[in-house]
């Protein structure tokens, strides 16, 4: 098993600000961008479930290391269609391409849930045609209740998880139970705590500690969140990528972390969801309305939802997949050694889904910029 790091959520504040404008433009705004009008959706009657897929091809865009390296061969062997894989490092990069109005030739894109929501609201997504994806039946029922897309109308979830506190059991006198343990750490942890700077996740600990929504648009809420983050700043530092490695070496004792990135295979490292609650993040697959290979695109998603294929993500990047058959097929030792994999769908759905905030997303961009710049 290899554990591959990838960078789907690295900060890109400037891009996010531009993204809000671009998506608004695609939705009919008047910012002067040159986005093309969205293509028309195909009706189910226009799609051929018996299409000879060897006459179509598929181009996907996905984060590096997020699918098997031999995926094109597997797809060719199974679906008889050619697969081209394009890579994007962050949500913001692929969103920039998709909302720029250029013909990307993409058929399927992997994006996080709130970004799928934004693309759909911009009219850029093909509705999911469930009759072409029988393996949707493998999804947990909870995977069809995601607040940004109830019923999987325009997206199909690929991985899901939550954010919590990853910590050293041997270097903390008392195990953390609250986001306040991160924001106002005990003496032994001061200046040995990391938080993430990615905008929505920078705000998350303070929002939850204050009893606020992670999707708040309230200026009053955001001012309170900012004040709490500034109060915490002298005792923490920021790390979105290597916090797990810092914990391993003992350089730090506690970190805000995505569940799959907490190295719980180390005997002295554990992961906990604070008592105030957390988020539910989801990475999805979407079909572009501009796709000229819609049957193959749906066949690809159906292929991914095959338990043998879908379980790759859990085994190799240690993120849970919303596919009951795939999770049931995981080796018991893998789950035993990686506690976050044991979280149930109902536990995940107890978290608050991060949704797209449209133009109000820039409030979180400004918040992150101001907090990071503060002395």
């Amino acid at each position: 098993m290899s554990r591959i790091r990838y960078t789907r959520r690295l900060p890109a504040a400037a891009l996010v600000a531009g993204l809000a404008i671009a998506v608004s433009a695609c939705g009919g705004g008047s910012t002067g961008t040159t986005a093309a009008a969205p293509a028309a959706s195909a009706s189910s009657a226009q799609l051929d479930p018996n299409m000879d897929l060897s006459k179509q091809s598929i181009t996907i865009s996905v984060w590096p290391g997020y699918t098997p390296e031999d995926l094109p061969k597997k797809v060719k062997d199974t679906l008889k269609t050619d697969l081209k894989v394009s890579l994007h490092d962050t949500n913001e990069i692929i969103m920039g391409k998709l909302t720029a109005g250029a013909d990307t030739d993409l058929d399927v894109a992997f994006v996080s849930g709130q970004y799928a929501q934004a693309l759909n609201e911009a009219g850029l997504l093909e509705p999911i045609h469930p009759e072409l994806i029988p393996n949707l039946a493998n999804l947990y029922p909870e995977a069809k209740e995601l607040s940004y897309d109830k019923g999987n109308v325009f997206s199909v979830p690929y991985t899901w998880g939550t954010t919590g506190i990853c910590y050293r059991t041997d270097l903390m006198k008392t195990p953390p139970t609250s986001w306040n343990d991160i924001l106002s750490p005990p003496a032994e942890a001061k200046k040995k705590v990391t938080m993430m700077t990615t905008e929505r996740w920078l705000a998350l600990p303070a929002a939850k500690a204050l009893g606020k929504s992670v999707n708040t648009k309230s200026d009053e809420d955001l001012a309170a969140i900012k004040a709490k983050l500034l109060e915490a700043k002298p005792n923490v530092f920021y790390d979105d990528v290597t916090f797990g490695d810092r914990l391993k070496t003992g350089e730090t004792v506690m970190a805000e972390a995505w569940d799959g990135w907490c190295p719980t295979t180390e005997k002295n490292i554990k992961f906990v969801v604070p008592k105030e609650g957390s988020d539910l993040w989801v990475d999805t697959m979407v079909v572009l309305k501009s796709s000229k290979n819609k049957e193959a695109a749906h066949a690809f998603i159906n292929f991914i939802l095959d338990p043998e294929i879908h379980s790759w993500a859990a085994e190799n990047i240690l993120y849970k997949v919303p596919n009951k058959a795939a999770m049931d097929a995981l080796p018991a030792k893998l789950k035993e050694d990686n506690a976050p994999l044991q979280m149930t769908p109902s536990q995940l759905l107890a978290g608050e889904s991060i949704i797209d905030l449209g133009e109000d997303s820039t409030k979180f961009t400004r918040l992150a910029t101001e907090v990071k710049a503060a002395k």
Side-chain angles (χ1 to χ4, degrees):
M1 181 180 72
S2 63
R3 189 170 190 177
I4 302 169
R5 292 216 178 280
Y6 61 100
T7 54
R8 73 188 155 120
R9 297 189 185 94
L10 281 181
L15 277 171
V16 170
L19 172 66
I21 295 171
V23 169
S24 175
C26 289
S30 57
T31 61
T33 61
T34 55
S41 296
S43 68
S44 294
Q46 293 174 309
L47 298 178
D48 180 3
N50 300 312
M51 168 69 70
D52 180 357
L53 297 181
S54 67
K55 296 181 179 179
Q56 293 192 346
S57 60
I58 314 168
T59 301
I60 68 170
S61 189
V62 64
W63 298 282
Y66 215 44
T67 52
E69 289 185 2
D70 61 349
L71 188 61
K73 181 179 186 306
K74 290 177 182 288
V75 169
K76 182 70 173 180
D77 290 347
T78 305
L79 301 181
K80 312 304 179 190
T81 189
D82 292 322
L83 172 68
K84 178 181 177 182
V85 179
S86 178
L87 300 177
H88 58 261
D89 285 337
T90 67
N91 275 306
E92 289 78 9
I93 289 174
I94 185 60
M95 291 293 282
K97 289 182 180 178
L98 296 178
T99 57
D103 184 0
T104 62
D105 286 330
L106 287 177
D107 300 294
V108 175
F110 286 66
V111 295
S112 296
Q114 66 271 33
Y115 292 86
Q117 179 188 0
L119 288 172
N120 184 60
E121 290 172 356
L124 297 176
L125 297 187
E126 176 72 14
I128 295 298
H129 296 270
E131 69 278 11
L132 299 182
I133 312 178
N135 282 339
L136 285 170
N138 291 331
L139 294 179
Y140 289 106
E142 291 89 343
K144 301 174 183 176
E145 297 298 326
L146 303 168
S147 61
Y148 64 86
D149 183 18
K150 286 187 179 294
N152 310 134
V153 174
F154 55 81
S155 64
V156 176
Y158 178 66
T159 57
W160 59 359
T162 190
T163 308
I165 299 176
C166 185
Y167 66 100
R168 285 284 297 257
T169 58
D170 56 332
L171 300 178
M172 295 285 295
K173 292 179 180 177
T174 304
T177 59
S178 166
W179 286 117
N180 284 312
D181 293 320
I182 284 273
L183 297 163
S184 183
E188 74 269 19
K190 288 185 185 298
K191 301 185 184 300
K192 294 183 178 179
V193 176
T194 61
M195 292 179 62
M196 294 187 283
T197 56
T198 312
E199 294 155 9
R200 304 294 290 276
W201 284 274
L202 171 63
L204 186 150
K208 286 301 180 185
L210 292 166
K212 310 296 185 184
S213 168
V214 296
N215 299 308
T216 185
K217 299 178 182 178
S218 161
D219 291 336
E220 183 179 351
D221 286 354
L222 290 166
I225 290 168
K226 177 183 173 182
K228 198 162 185 64
L229 290 172
L230 292 176
E231 184 181 328
K233 191 170 182 181
N235 295 316
V236 305
F237 61 97
Y238 303 118
D239 183 351
D240 293 75
V241 179
T242 62
F243 51 78
D245 294 331
R246 293 178 190 271
L247 285 167
K248 287 181 183 178
T249 63
E251 177 185 353
T252 60
V253 298
M254 195 163 40
E256 177 193 5
W258 295 304
D259 48 357
W261 281 29
C262 180
T264 53
T265 50
E266 301 286 320
K267 70 174 184 178
N268 291 323
I269 295 181
K270 286 191 175 180
F271 177 84
V272 64
V273 176
K275 61 185 179 184
E276 298 91 349
S278 189
D279 65 331
L280 165 63
W281 60 258
V282 184
D283 289 339
T284 75
M285 298 174 282
V286 297
V287 177
L288 280 301
K289 190 177 287 184
S290 58
S291 167
K292 300 177 180 65
N293 307 289
K294 291 186 172 68
E295 286 90 348
H298 283 78
F300 170 78
I301 292 175
N302 189 61
F303 171 78
I304 290 292
L305 295 184
D306 181 283
E308 184 177 347
I309 302 300
H310 208 177
S311 61
W312 179 93
E315 290 197 54
N316 288 272
I317 55 179
L318 300 179
Y319 277 172
K320 294 171 285 298
V321 297
N323 183 322
K324 184 178 187 307
M327 289 300 290
D328 288 347
L330 292 181
K333 186 70 165 55
L334 181 72
K335 294 181 182 178
E336 179 183 334
D337 291 344
N338 296 278
L341 288 177
Q342 299 169 24
M343 293 183 71
T344 65
S346 61
Q347 288 175 312
L348 288 175
L349 260 68
E352 186 181 13
S353 287
I354 294 177
I355 63 172
D356 175 58
L357 300 178
E359 293 183 355
D360 284 323
S361 296
T362 56
K363 293 183 177 181
F364 281 85
T365 304
R366 185 164 57 249
L367 170 72
T369 300
E370 292 174 351
V371 169
K372 286 184 287 186
K375 301 296 183 183

